[in-house]
Amino acid sequence: EDHANEGQGVLAGRLGALRFEQIYGTDWQDLPRDNAVQNSCRFFGETQFNLCEPFLSYWQRNGGLARFGYPITRQRQENIEGHDYTVQYFERRRMEFHPENVAPYNVLLGLLGRDVRGATVSSGLSNYTSPDGAWSIQYPAGLLHPEDLGDGTIVFISNDRSTFAAVDSYIYPGSAFGNTGEELRNRARDTLARIYGRPVNETGIIQQPGGRWQTGVSFSTDKGSQGAAFYEQRGWQKGNNRVNGFLYGYRSASPMASSQVLAMRDSFTPLADAGQVLANFFSLLHDRRYAEAAQLYGGSYDVLRMWNSDVPRNDYQTLWDRGCTQEGLMCLHVRRAVNQQPASATATQFIVEFAFDDGELFQAEAQTQFPFTVDQQNGRYKVMTMPVYIP
């Protein structure tokens, strides 16, 4: 970089700091620091890291602070092009110790210009929609490419096979109330075994990992990979429960930072049809996730507002909470849709049965089937009918 206008001449850019953040998904300033100088090392109070051999002599002989900047990490192990090396990051460079080379060529500089440029060019996201149209996800097309493993599993994997992220989406043909948490985790274990070709080493159970995900497992492999698998179930299709899973794994040479993996997970979007939206709406009400349920409702709130004059008009969460828990709305799971037919160019009318948690069919004055309308508003399906009311 030409900094002549600042009186500094030509300087190297801060590629060390930039590349570290790309790989690890965190700022170097968030790392634990050295408290004091170590023997035979040089301590930099500016960044609070030591610079020791084999990198100290190289730093001193080849330009020092002007060329490399301050150290911004301790020495650490990193996989570079399939081999584990001791490295240390500086503001402008990364030094690598290559014991296979004789001195002075056993300390080399990382190819950060190439790596930073490649990561920047490939960081653009592409949208992928599953072959059955059930979900979509955004993925970094320059880093990963999709492969269909069959049985509902799409794997997005790097060319060097060091990193994968996968979506496992399938219809569970059991009861309308779906799997237990352990059944979901068993699916995670089975899917990981299919991806790796062998069972993995489970390292923990993850409950409520964030967003829509309900449960999962963390894992490692005998070859040094690690990762996690998250599963959730929400929505019905033809009376059955759809299960969605997001899984990922990586070696230390991963081309993706953890922030990219989680961003990919969070971009996962079920592409529900009108019937699934109706079932999702009632599941959210039943589970007392009222704020999320309100996003799927497009009908009138006049009755709820009349019952709750002390609640602000747009406090939908409280309105649904009182309606379902205090005022007689039957916020139950959909047991099945008996019939559906078009009600207009954008709306569908469903005839629906409901069930209690024990599976018993809900009925009101001998009626077991109830009409509900789902309409499209601004391209999104919304439930237009209030739940059944029992005084």
Side-chain angles (χ1 to χ4, degrees):
E1 301 173 355
D2 184 1
H3 290 255
N5 291 338
E6 304 165 15
Q8 300 185 66
V10 175
L11 298 177
R14 299 185 74 255
L15 294 183
L18 179 56
R19 184 56 178 158
F20 180 85
E21 185 173 348
Q22 283 181 339
I23 293 176
Y24 294 100
T26 187
D27 193 297
W28 68 268
Q29 297 186 63
D30 296 329
L31 297 175
R33 310 300 178 87
D34 296 331
N35 295 321
V37 64
Q38 299 172 4
N39 290 336
S40 303
C41 300
R42 178 173 173 179
F43 179 73
F44 291 84
E46 294 82 357
T47 58
Q48 295 182 293
F49 286 108
N50 280 283
L51 174 55
C52 308
E53 298 296 352
F55 301 134
L56 175 58
S57 297
Y58 188 96
W59 188 91
Q60 293 172 329
R61 291 195 310 266
N62 292 283
L65 187 63
R67 184 181 181 195
F68 302 103
Y70 294 110
I72 59 173
T73 71
R74 299 168 178 166
Q75 291 187 17
R76 60 197 298 130
Q77 293 298 115
E78 189 168 299
N79 190 288
I80 300 170
E81 297 181 350
H83 299 281
D84 289 327
Y85 293 107
T86 299
V87 306
Q88 188 166 13
Y89 280 82
F90 299 80
E91 291 178 284
R92 297 181 171 89
R93 305 284 186 177
R94 179 184 67 212
M95 292 186 190
E96 305 168 0
F97 180 59
H98 289 254
E100 71 275 15
N101 297 342
V102 298
Y105 306 108
N106 54 352
V107 175
L108 301 177
L109 298 178
L111 302 177
L112 298 192
R114 179 201 68 180
D115 294 344
V116 168
R117 171 65 177 169
T120 302
V121 169
S122 63
S123 62
L125 297 177
S126 294
N127 195 70
Y128 179 91
T129 300
S130 63
D132 61 3
W135 54 268
S136 69
I137 197 168
Q138 290 184 326
Y139 72 101
L143 299 176
L144 306 177
H145 64 274
E147 297 180 8
D148 191 341
L149 287 190
D151 196 26
T153 304
I154 304 293
V155 174
F156 301 84
I157 193 164
S158 60
N159 289 331
D160 64 0
R161 321 299 281 187
S162 69
T163 305
F164 82 85
V167 175
D168 178 32
S169 182
Y170 65 99
I171 297 295
Y172 174 70
S175 73
F177 299 102
N179 299 263
T180 66
E182 186 62 16
E183 287 172 322
L184 290 174
R185 292 189 290 272
N186 283 336
R187 175 72 182 202
R189 295 163 184 136
D190 291 343
T191 305
L192 287 169
R194 287 201 302 117
I195 292 172
Y196 280 101
R198 64 184 66 85
V200 299
N201 305 314
E202 188 174 323
T203 57
I205 291 176
I206 307 171
Q207 296 287 18
Q208 301 295 332
R212 64 175 59 86
W213 311 102
Q214 296 170 217
T215 188
V217 298
S218 57
F219 70 90
S220 64
T221 70
D222 294 337
K223 293 187 177 181
S225 295
Q226 57 185 314
F230 308 132
Y231 275 74
E232 61 98 25
Q233 53 186 341
R234 193 167 309 149
W236 281 255
Q237 190 176 88
K238 297 180 181 178
N240 294 323
N241 186 260
R242 176 168 286 277
V243 176
N244 297 310
F246 180 83
L247 312 92
Y248 70 89
Y250 60 90
R251 296 200 296 268
S252 57
S254 169
M256 294 179 67
S258 59
S259 59
Q260 290 175 291
V261 173
L262 294 179
M264 187 174 173
R265 181 195 72 176
D266 293 341
S267 76
F268 174 80
T269 304
L271 301 177
D273 60 21
Q276 289 176 314
V277 167
L278 180 62
N280 289 351
F281 172 67
F282 277 98
S283 288
L284 292 170
L285 289 180
H286 175 273
D287 295 341
R288 301 191 177 190
R289 299 165 66 167
Y290 301 119
E292 293 176 72
Q295 299 297 314
L296 301 182
Y297 184 70
S300 173
Y301 281 90
D302 288 349
V303 172
L304 289 177
R305 287 169 177 152
M306 180 181 66
W307 291 344
N308 300 279
S309 58
D310 61 319
V311 176
R313 288 180 56 82
N314 294 332
D315 186 356
Y316 304 125
Q317 181 168 339
T318 301
L319 291 173
W320 283 117
D321 187 357
R322 290 190 180 179
C324 291
T325 61
Q326 301 177 26
E327 293 159 348
L329 294 185
M330 305 310 300
C331 300
L332 305 172
H333 280 297
V334 173
R335 183 172 183 266
R336 65 176 179 134
V338 179
N339 186 32
Q340 68 181 74
Q341 59 184 4
S344 71
T346 59
T348 303
Q349 186 178 68
F350 293 85
I351 304 300
V352 176
E353 293 178 346
F354 296 94
F356 294 103
D357 287 350
D358 61 3
E360 181 183 354
L361 179 66
F362 166 73
Q363 61 179 336
E365 297 181 351
Q367 181 180 352
T368 60
Q369 299 178 354
F370 305 88
F372 283 85
T373 300
V374 178
D375 196 7
Q376 279 189 308
Q377 297 182 348
N378 299 319
R380 300 185 64 182
Y381 287 113
K382 300 279 189 174
V383 178
M384 307 302 295
T385 312
M386 290 282 289
V388 177
Y389 170 64
I390 301 294

